[in-house]
Amino acid sequence: MTMPSLRVAVLGLIAPALAAGCTAVASRPLGIEPIRHATGMADGQVVARYIRTPRPERFSVCHEHTCHAISEINFTADEWAGVRQGFALPATDAVAERELIAIAVATLEQLVGVRIGTANDQGRNFPGLGLSGQMDCVDEATNTSAYLIMLQQDGLLYWHQAGPRLSRGVERLQALHFTATLDETATGARFAVDSWFEANGRPPHIVPIGDWSGGWRPPDNTAQSGRKSGRH
């Protein structure tokens, strides 16, 4: 197959994902769609049940790779109050708020993990390959986007807004990879919020989208073991 033909074939495989809202657009998401697998993904009835406007009292969580399983859960009033408490002392700047966001996402992952059996989800794909409850980057990007939307809609974000899910890899003919994003309101700077590299309940990596799009990965000595920083 020639290179142009290969590029067309790859783009054809991911067209459903791009149509689901993963292109680099500047709109602020009020809701979110599950990303369909290139080969058809989960049962259509399962996808139809996905809650596209997440709220703490009712939202969907993707798991088992590429939203193959979708669970509907809720946070109790006390659980969400605990998340809100993390923002009780307002962030003094965007950098500080990204730290708070990273901690909040980790907390939300922990709460969800014990509910749906994803508490032992391992970072990346291969460490947990074949294990129940494992999430790939599509699951992670979708769930993290839902968490960011909930934080924003509850008025907890001052320096940021939830951005769209984005992907990388196709233009370089590399492995397709997805992330949630944040937009800094004062500057318009966009940041990847990538929770795929780490195990469940650890803070996501928050890095400038330009670095992430260029293939950024955490150093091997920090992924899987250390705390992730939102300081960028």
Side-chain angles (χ1 to χ4, degrees), residues 72-232:
E72 178 181 329
I73 65 173
N74 68 284
F75 293 127
T76 67
D78 287 344
E79 287 171 337
W80 190 251
V83 174
R84 298 185 89 250
Q85 184 61 34
F87 295 85
L89 186 62
T92 56
D93 57 26
V95 172
E97 186 168 84
R98 288 195 288 276
E99 289 280 0
L100 297 181
I101 291 169
I103 294 170
V105 170
T107 298
L108 294 170
E109 282 193 0
Q110 293 167 14
L111 293 171
V112 167
V114 298
R115 298 277 191 86
I116 67 171
T118 57
N120 294 321
D121 168 58
Q122 299 299 302
R124 312 195 186 200
N125 286 345
F126 293 113
L129 189 63
L131 298 179
S132 176
Q134 185 68 14
M135 297 182 181
D136 65 1
C137 67
V138 171
D139 297 326
E140 296 279 4
T142 303
N143 298 337
T144 298
S145 293
Y147 302 151
L148 296 176
I149 290 171
M150 288 190 283
L151 293 174
Q152 176 181 323
Q153 291 182 337
D154 199 29
L156 300 179
L157 306 185
Y158 177 79
W159 299 96
H160 298 86
Q161 291 183 319
R165 286 167 302 182
L166 295 181
S167 64
R168 73 182 188 197
V170 176
E171 68 283 357
R172 299 168 183 258
L173 294 181
Q174 297 174 346
L176 187 63
H177 183 52
F178 291 87
T179 186
T181 66
L182 280 172
D183 291 336
E184 191 174 301
T185 54
T187 65
R190 178 163 287 172
F191 294 82
V193 185
D194 196 331
S195 53
W196 175 75
F197 288 103
E198 304 293 337
N200 182 80
R202 291 181 177 173
H205 294 275
I206 303 181
V207 299
I209 196 64
D211 294 345
W212 184 90
S213 297
W216 178 93
R217 304 174 72 86
D220 290 337
N221 63 342
T222 59
Q224 305 294 327
S225 59
R227 190 208 181 287
K228 294 167 284 187
S229 175
R231 290 199 168 274
H232 288 278

Side-chain angles (χ1 to χ4, degrees), residues 19-121:
C22 301
T23 52
V25 295
S27 62
R28 301 296 187 266
L30 297 177
I32 189 170
E33 295 280 339
I35 298 175
R36 293 180 179 274
H37 192 281
T39 58
M41 202 199 85
D43 184 280
Q45 293 181 343
V46 174
V47 178
R49 294 199 303 269
Y50 185 87
I51 299 169
R52 288 153 171 78
T53 54
R55 304 184 307 275
E57 60 270 21
R58 185 172 181 265
F59 62 99
S60 294
V61 178
C62 284
H63 51 107
E64 310 305 334
H65 292 271
T66 318
C67 293
H68 199 77
I70 299 174
S71 297
E72 178 181 329
I73 65 173
N74 68 284
F75 293 127
T76 67
D78 287 344
E79 287 171 337
W80 190 251
V83 174
R84 298 185 89 250
Q85 184 61 34
F87 295 85
L89 186 62
T92 56
D93 57 26
V95 172
E97 186 168 84
R98 288 195 288 276
E99 289 280 0
L100 297 181
I101 291 169
I103 294 170
V105 170
T107 298
L108 294 170
E109 282 193 0
Q110 293 167 14
L111 293 171
V112 167
V114 298
R115 298 277 191 86
I116 67 171
T118 57
N120 294 321
D121 168 58

